[in-house]
Amino acid sequence: MHKENSFLLNDWHPIAAVAETVVGKQYSTRVLGKEIRYTLTNDHLIARTENSDLPLLLTKITYGLLWVSLSENPRDVPDIPEFKEHDRRVISAGAIRIATSGLRVVENFLDMAHFPFVHTDILGAEPLTEVTAYDVEIHEEVDEVHAVNCRFTQPKGSAAASEPVDMQYVYRIARPFIAILYKTCVVDPNRLDVLGLFIQPVDEESCIAHTIMCYLDDVNTDKQLRDFQQRIFGQDLMILLNQVPKGLPLDPKYETPVRADALSSAYRRWIKARNVTFGTAR
Amino acid sequence: MDFFNQGWQAVACSEDLPLRHVYQAQLLGQELALWRDDSGAVNAWENRCPHRGLRLSLGVNTGDQLKCQYHGWKYETGSGRCLFVPAHRNATPSTACVRQYPCVEIDGLVFVKLDKSDEAQTSNDYQPPTRLPSTNLRSTPAAMAADVAVRTIMQARQSLAPVIAAQPDSVEIQANGLILDLGGTETPDKLRLFVQPESATTSVVHARLYTATQTSFARKVAFIHVMEELLSLAEQCTGLSQNAKIIATDTGHSSAQPQPTESDSRKPFTCTVVAREIETPDITSFWLKPDDDRALIIDPGMHASVVTPAGFIRQYSVVNAPDEDRALVIGVKNEPDSRGGSRSMHLDAAIGTKLQVTLPANQFRLNSDGRTALLIAGGVGVTPLLSMALHLQQAGRPYKFHYLARSTEHLAFAERLRNGDISYVPHLGLSVDDTRQTLYHLLQDTDPATHDIYVCGPQPMIDLVISLANEAGFPVEQINFEYFGLATNSSKPSVTSGVYQVIIKSTGKRFSVEAGKPLLQACLENGVNIDYSCEQGVCGACITKVDDGELVHSDVYLSSKEKESGKLIMPCVSGCTSKTLTLDI
């Protein structure tokens, strides 16, 4: 049995996109309710908590992001091999601060049923609202939850799409605050585009979403890709700010799911089993 | 006990709830979504969708339902029941139900009470202070507790004198809890103020003025000025102007309490097959009469969910006319590649056979917006449309009915169509191209401003109608459809085929589960209490340990490893194939 929230403490958390950080400048932010100061040098990230007597925090630069850990011995960040493929473009869609639990944000990211209602005429359109059965897999060796065989008809599934696409999705829940989406690549049907949602848990009911695209796209400019992603996120924001309670309910009877929510149910169950309470409704 | 001592609190003025609006209010920290249906009735609901917690005040009031903006779930006026889940169009909708509060509209104001304990106490003892005509003045928000607002107004009552055309020193005020009545010795006018306790630190003051003279603009403005000055002064003095944290969830009820349950109409009942008739070479109709002789309420487009003799749960549209309330009439197509449900009906449902039937909420309903219904049926998809046509015909409402079938021989329910005086246009033996041409011209020649489309049949035909209707300028909400024969594993799965015995390990209790009955239901009926919620095999609330038995898993909650272990079951949707099942509880 995990100690309460040790699953989060013994891990890495993103704090900023490399591309958006000015070298030499001092910044401050929060992770899991703790104040953190950091500076990016030419080759290192230096970070410490408010208490300058304590040793420096462990840091890491990967997947286009700056990471810190509050532990001295965190397990490694999840492996996302696509970031090593040189023909992919890695683009940050920006850091978006949201006044709700990061767990609610991840759950929204894992959800297909809202596409026609929240991302109307982009990721879905009435009356094509059916969520067909998909499979949830538990990968014990890496302690992850995946959903495979997900599909949804999308009027404009990506910035590169010019006509409706039957989008195929694979969702990968790698950490309570990290989810990765693999989706049909409009440019190369044999490969998948990768969209990573890396949440910085600021406090129990506030977070910063760092979204990183790892795409095969030779048509759109960085700005076009970023604009597309930000437009989608803006639509989700209206939902996320109006979900009550802000914490994710883990009691299976508090919110009533249907079969389309099988992944969300598995996510809640997985969080509960790891004794994560930070960001949950209690 | 009088009206106000029963806990009724004013939460809005009648004019805050215009047609098709959803109004957000708060009472004692509880957020409310208030909305009026097209019949005028007001709903006071917890401002939280029971599916994923979105505020319902963001939703759309469609006249008889509230549609949540997150996933398009629809909830019924009056009951709060979920009627439609777009992600699973053809499945039984979720058991989710919005928490409702008792609500009455009297004398231009809407009253709600959070405590349901004495719901029987009706509100008919409300007494206005006088019989003079009355009108609402503007409601005023105040950043102070309700009792502070009451005291503030009591002390400054003289400043309200101009509003009731009284001399300042003759103003009398009477407090009854959070209600204040003002009058004066030389004026017949009365002013009643209702202080709504929004939260511990905020309130709203609603005002109703009773006067024989027409309320002049000057009086209304005077009231606004007096109230704003009075309350803002007090806010500064009390220093309570910071808003309390908004809590939209029902603080009075812990999440451990079960959600409200669906009404009895959705409970299963037993029917006997009293007649069957061959309609076409592949469609047979069945008459199912409830054993308890209940009168059926027929809603055109509705389904009956039937447990077939082999134990499959199948949904069939009913073709009843509105006055046929004694037996359900369903049409069943014998699909050659059917997994057994329809075959079982054709082969085994003889006259006298008993079947378990449920009437789920209708998801394919006739709109009541006054537009002409254009009914388009393909093959066995005629069933729900036939019921609609019979209703429209009897109600004298206009409709147009087009029926596509392979040949005259394949036109089902010919006699029913004739007897019901239904006029329809048959389209027989059309090729794929001809079908497209026919539907294209039909939809191009139909005016979207005056028609709603209802289509049922094979999926390719429905998809064609949807795209052609879009082309012809029909908005999405005017295209109503229902797939027929769609293989969807998102519907409530069938349970198990045979009878089996359940043994409860701890007590040794035994009982049998009849074919098709959910294990969960059997347990509850036999006094074995198992926690449950979604009843769709998703939420995990009913997870139960198994000691022994060959399990058939139909849930999406357990991992494949857990399913293989045979030691856990979700009894709401899963069952067993062995003769006995021992539950480790």
Side-chain angles (χ1 to χ4, degrees), chain B residues 160-288:
Chain B
L160 285 162
V163 183
I164 47 169
Q167 291 303 316
D169 48 12
S170 78
V171 175
E172 290 163 358
I173 192 161
Q174 242 187 358
N176 175 7
L178 297 178
I179 314 300
L180 298 170
D181 279 326
L182 286 92
T185 43
E186 76 283 25
T187 174
D189 296 358
K190 301 278 183 202
L191 177 66
R192 176 169 277 186
L193 302 176
F194 305 81
V195 180
Q196 169 191 352
E198 272 198 317
S199 68
T201 53
T202 60
S203 8
V204 179
V205 183
H206 302 284
R208 189 131 186 112
L209 177 65
Y210 299 78
T211 177
T213 58
Q214 206 180 354
T215 316
S216 70
F217 183 66
R219 268 217 227 182
K220 289 184 177 177
V221 172
F223 176 76
I224 291 169
H225 284 312
V226 170
M227 289 300 282
E228 283 189 350
E229 200 171 317
L230 190 66
L231 296 171
S232 66
L233 244 163
E235 280 172 18
Q236 287 163 19
C237 299
T238 52
L240 279 172
S241 49
Q242 64 274 56
N243 276 343
K245 199 172 155 189
I246 294 170
I247 305 159
T249 49
D250 191 326
T251 46
H253 303 78
S254 82
S255 60
Q257 279 188 325
Q259 298 275 334
T261 52
E262 51 192 310
S263 69
D264 286 350
S265 65
R266 283 210 238 163
K267 298 245 167 74
F269 54 95
T270 308
C271 289
T272 305
V273 179
V274 291
R276 47 181 286 171
E277 200 159 309
I278 295 167
E279 298 288 343
T280 72
D282 54 0
I283 300 173
T284 301
S285 56
F286 294 81
W287 271 251
L288 313 178

Side-chain angles (χ1 to χ4, degrees), chain B residues 74-351:
Chain B
K74 292 179 180 170
Y75 297 97
E76 184 179 51
T77 182
S79 71
R81 283 190 311 169
C82 176
L83 293 181
F84 183 54
V85 174
H88 305 300
R89 295 188 161 266
N90 295 343
T92 309
S94 166
T95 54
C97 191
V98 182
R99 186 181 298 283
Q100 306 177 81
Y101 296 98
C103 174
V104 290
E105 187 174 17
I106 306 172
D107 212 17
L109 289 157
V110 176
F111 298 90
V112 164
K113 82 181 163 173
L114 296 183
D115 176 17
K116 293 186 187 178
S117 52
D118 52 353
E119 213 169 327
Q121 294 267 18
T122 50
S123 46
N124 52 14
D125 59 350
Y126 178 85
Q127 293 297 332
T130 152
R131 294 285 158 201
L132 291 176
S134 58
T135 181
N136 287 334
L137 302 178
R138 196 211 267 176
S139 303
T140 319
M144 62 183 74
D147 57 333
V148 179
V150 168
R151 275 204 307 280
T152 306
I153 296 165
M154 298 273 287
Q155 282 161 12
R157 60 181 175 273
Q158 294 195 352
S159 54
L160 285 162
V163 183
I164 47 169
Q167 291 303 316
D169 48 12
S170 78
V171 175
E172 290 163 358
I173 192 161
Q174 242 187 358
N176 175 7
L178 297 178
I179 314 300
L180 298 170
D181 279 326
L182 286 92
T185 43
E186 76 283 25
T187 174
D189 296 358
K190 301 278 183 202
L191 177 66
R192 176 169 277 186
L193 302 176
F194 305 81
V195 180
Q196 169 191 352
E198 272 198 317
S199 68
T201 53
T202 60
S203 8
V204 179
V205 183
H206 302 284
R208 189 131 186 112
L209 177 65
Y210 299 78
T211 177
T213 58
Q214 206 180 354
T215 316
S216 70
F217 183 66
R219 268 217 227 182
K220 289 184 177 177
V221 172
F223 176 76
I224 291 169
H225 284 312
V226 170
M227 289 300 282
E228 283 189 350
E229 200 171 317
L230 190 66
L231 296 171
S232 66
L233 244 163
E235 280 172 18
Q236 287 163 19
C237 299
T238 52
L240 279 172
S241 49
Q242 64 274 56
N243 276 343
K245 199 172 155 189
I246 294 170
I247 305 159
T249 49
D250 191 326
T251 46
H253 303 78
S254 82
S255 60
Q257 279 188 325
Q259 298 275 334
T261 52
E262 51 192 310
S263 69
D264 286 350
S265 65
R266 283 210 238 163
K267 298 245 167 74
F269 54 95
T270 308
C271 289
T272 305
V273 179
V274 291
R276 47 181 286 171
E277 200 159 309
I278 295 167
E279 298 288 343
T280 72
D282 54 0
I283 300 173
T284 301
S285 56
F286 294 81
W287 271 251
L288 313 178
K289 189 175 178 310
D291 284 3
D292 59 7
D293 275 333
R294 69 175 71 190
L296 298 157
I297 297 162
I298 303 298
D299 187 10
M302 76 195 284
H303 284 102
S305 180
V306 178
V307 182
T308 71
F312 295 92
I313 296 180
R314 288 291 178 269
Q315 306 216 321
Y316 300 107
S317 297
V318 311
V319 296
N320 290 50
D323 51 355
E324 289 181 293
D325 61 356
R326 289 292 144 194
L328 291 166
V329 189
I330 58 170
V332 179
K333 188 176 184 191
N334 191 9
E335 307 270 3
D337 50 356
S338 135
R339 283 176 296 160
S342 297
R343 269 177 66 86
S344 156
M345 285 296 287
H346 277 259
L347 295 175
D348 306 327
I351 290 173

